[in-house]
Amino acid sequence: MHFENTLKFARSLDAADALAKYRDEFHFPQVNGRQVIYFTGNSLGLQPKRTHDYIDEVMADWADLAVEGHFHAKRPWWDYHERLAAPMAKIVGAKTEEVCAMNTLTVNLHLLMVTFYRPTDKRYKIICEEKAFPSDQYMLQSQVRHHGLDPDDAIVEVRKRKGEHHWRTEDVLRAIEETGDQLALVLIGGVNYYNGQVFDMPAITKAGREVGAQVGWDLAHAAGNIELRLHDWDVDFAAWCSYKYMNSGPGNASGIFVHERHLNKKGINRFEGWWGTQKETRFLMKPEFEPPASADAWQLSNPPVLSLAPYLASLQMFDEVGMDALIEKRKSIVAYLEYILGEIDKETSGSFEIITPKDRGCQLSVFLHGQGKPLFDYLMEHGVIVDWREPNVIRLAPAPFYCSYEDMYRFGQILKQGIREQAKAR
Ligand SMILES: *Cc1c(COP(=O)(O)O)cnc(C)c1O
């Protein structure tokens, strides 16, 4: 595609952007009296303006109806979570009954491990990526110890090759093959939080299942970002959070996926609670647990309606726009950002490099040569919200819902100025 590093050109892309009108649907922080350029939608998405109405509705129903709200609220609370299933299923490529909004991400991964990590003497190993997101590492290690096993023996980390910034699919596939009938589980972050790499989920899932392992994905950085086909890829289970690309608010609820073939299975190992039993008979308060043939069977408690309300608001926006349109804009705005970075790099004679491979979603991770932290501080002071990862990486995620092409152009100008001022100061 032909790009130009000019304000006029950036504005022409915005003028042609069908999603441009959604920018006004979000609240932006201000720095120096101006809307920020927000690159951290991969960490905490901006607040949609309509979120307020969804929360206010619950607050009003609670005030007016109190306990009666469970059945008589505008959107009754006892099955509030069911409204999230269909739009969530579309985002992750699942059947409606395969997903459920509940708990938070790390909690859900633990609950899913109870079902999907059943080590035996022979088959007990887990494959994950080296330096997985810390919560995932702690989760895996503690699960392994819970079964009386040694994490150093049970957890097999797939490494990047020396001098490379990304994992090679062939290396993941080889690890799966080599671990073979000792392999109980593959659990990897579908989009890596650090370098922004998208793993080849269909190929890895297929390989894992072929050696008889379960395959799960942590989709924290994938849900609402890239195309997912969890059902068709035959993934066993997955979980994601909703506050990153899905704009549901800080620490908000997670979603889970459990493949159809595991639903309605007798004798499946699972931690259970009263919201996992069939809703028709739940209030008979019977001693027997009767799970529905859906991922709802993994629910424990009655749903946290005040946190599902903003999640529902956001899902309805995704439903309006559709992942196809979001992905199309995401590809184009990331391509424009990469082009801008290339231009600025030329003008500042090689100040940084992009370490994100071509298999990518919304995020570009940029390794800075030299300037580091002071440049990050400069960007923040000039209204560019990015994040910093040791040793010298900034992550840029131009979320297609609310970032504009003009943002990319303006960011380039601020970056160039920042690099020049740092050079002068040295
Ligand atoms: C963001 C993120 C988490 C966060 O977990 P919470 O339980 O929501 O705090 C976990 N894993 C990965 C890969 C993440 O990117």
Side-chain angles (χ1 to χ4, degrees):
M1 193 165 169
H2 162 79
F3 288 132
E4 290 170 27
N5 185 18
T6 64
L7 181 59
K8 184 162 173 265
F9 185 80
R11 285 186 172 161
S12 74
L13 292 177
D14 283 324
D17 172 16
L19 296 193
K21 61 176 188 289
Y22 277 92
R23 190 173 166 86
D24 265 350
E25 291 240 12
F26 289 86
H27 291 289
F28 281 77
Q30 306 246 326
V31 168
N32 307 325
R34 188 166 191 178
Q35 274 191 355
V36 298
I37 299 167
Y38 198 72
F39 277 124
T40 45
N42 57 349
S43 181
L44 180 70
L46 292 180
Q47 181 187 134
K49 290 177 181 167
R50 65 176 82 175
T51 300
H52 235 286
D53 291 342
Y54 283 72
I55 296 177
D56 287 350
E57 178 191 298
V58 180
M59 294 299 280
D61 283 340
W62 177 23
D64 296 342
L65 302 169
V67 73
E68 294 286 287
H70 281 301
F71 295 102
H72 301 295
K74 189 155 166 244
R75 296 180 176 91
W77 305 330
W78 79 304
D79 59 1
Y80 196 96
H81 63 283
E82 289 180 7
R83 295 170 181 80
L84 287 81
M88 211 162 52
K90 277 194 219 163
I91 292 171
V92 299
K95 296 188 171 184
T96 302
E97 63 272 22
E98 291 174 319
V99 300
C100 181
M102 60 187 217
N103 308 316
T104 49
L105 175 55
T106 307
V107 172
N108 282 339
L109 288 172
H110 273 296
L111 291 174
L112 290 163
M113 289 283 285
V114 167
T115 300
F116 293 101
Y117 181 56
R118 307 285 298 148
T120 62
D121 284 352
K122 180 159 182 213
R123 194 184 275 284
Y124 63 95
K125 291 197 175 175
I126 300 175
I127 285 184
C128 65
E129 74 279 37
E130 73 169 324
K131 297 204 177 115
F133 190 85
S135 200
D136 300 46
Q137 294 187 50
Y138 308 151
M139 190 274 297
L140 290 177
Q141 290 163 14
S142 59
Q143 284 280 340
V144 164
R145 283 196 304 267
H146 169 71
H147 288 284
L149 299 168
D150 174 7
D152 287 340
D153 176 32
I155 300 176
V156 179
E157 293 191 347
V158 180
R159 301 187 188 290
K160 299 174 200 156
R161 294 190 188 181
K162 208 166 174 348
E164 294 188 350
H165 293 295
H166 67 285
W167 288 265
R168 295 197 190 192
T169 304
E170 63 209 85
D171 293 349
V172 182
L173 299 181
R174 186 171 330 99
I176 290 174
E177 206 170 293
E178 283 173 4
T179 313
D181 57 10
Q182 289 193 312
L183 185 62
L185 173 71
V186 178
L187 181 58
I188 297 177
V191 176
N192 183 256
Y193 80 100
Y194 186 81
N195 71 354
Q197 171 175 3
V198 176
F199 280 84
D200 187 341
M201 288 184 254
I204 294 169
T205 303
K206 184 163 178 283
R209 288 181 41 74
E210 268 169 16
V211 301
Q214 309 279 346
V215 181
W217 293 97
D218 179 337
L219 301 177
H221 282 263
N225 174 15
I226 62 167
E227 186 188 20
L228 296 167
R229 296 259 148 263
L230 298 182
H231 178 85
D232 293 346
W233 296 341
D234 257 350
V235 168
D236 288 292
F237 70 97
W240 52 93
C241 54
S242 59
Y243 50 80
K244 291 175 177 166
Y245 290 104
M246 286 204 279
N247 312 320
S248 77
N252 208 346
S254 161
I256 65 159
F257 165 86
V258 177
H259 198 278
E260 189 175 45
R261 66 177 165 275
H262 301 296
L263 304 177
N264 221 7
K265 224 194 234 170
K266 281 258 169 331
I268 197 164
N269 206 70
R270 176 170 57 209
F271 284 174
E272 295 173 342
W274 73 320
W275 237 255
T277 197
Q278 285 181 17
K279 66 178 185 179
E280 293 77 13
T281 52
R282 180 180 302 136
F283 299 107
L284 301 179
M285 305 303 206
K286 295 195 298 188
E288 309 85 42
F289 183 82
E290 294 172 339
S294 74
D296 284 10
W298 275 260
Q299 279 188 113
L300 301 178
S301 301
N302 72 100
V305 175
L306 278 169
S307 81
L308 294 187
Y311 195 174
L312 182 60
S314 150
L315 284 171
Q316 295 195 333
M317 289 177 76
F318 272 84
D319 217 35
E320 255 168 59
V321 174
M323 281 308 294
D324 289 350
L326 282 164
I327 288 168
E328 192 186 312
K329 174 167 176 192
R330 186 259 289 158
K331 285 183 178 159
S332 137
I333 198 165
V334 170
Y336 190 51
L337 174 61
E338 184 176 30
Y339 162 80
I340 297 275
L341 284 167
E343 293 301 295
I344 304 306
D345 195 45
K346 274 187 245 159
E347 289 181 43
T348 57
S349 36
S351 303
F352 53 82
E353 74 185 286
I354 296 174
I355 61 168
T356 305
K358 292 292 173 199
D359 295 326
R360 60 176 62 155
C362 195
Q363 174 182 327
L364 293 180
S365 299
V366 177
F367 187 89
L368 305 170
H369 298 299
Q371 320 85 356
K373 205 65 192 289
L375 179 59
F376 166 78
D377 293 338
Y378 179 93
L379 292 173
M380 294 291 282
E381 280 157 23
H382 289 77
V384 183
I385 311 295
V386 291
D387 88 0
W388 170 260
R389 286 285 173 246
E390 295 294 339
N392 223 13
V393 166
I394 56 172
R395 302 185 303 167
L396 307 168
F401 241 130
Y402 45 73
C403 288
S404 68
Y405 294 90
E406 182 174 336
D407 283 344
M408 303 305 110
Y409 168 77
R410 282 180 47 221
F411 162 67
Q413 298 302 302
I414 295 168
L415 178 66
K416 179 165 69 184
Q417 193 60 27
I419 290 171
R420 289 194 170 149
E421 291 195 15
Q422 296 312 316
K424 256 191 267 155
R426 265 201 311 261

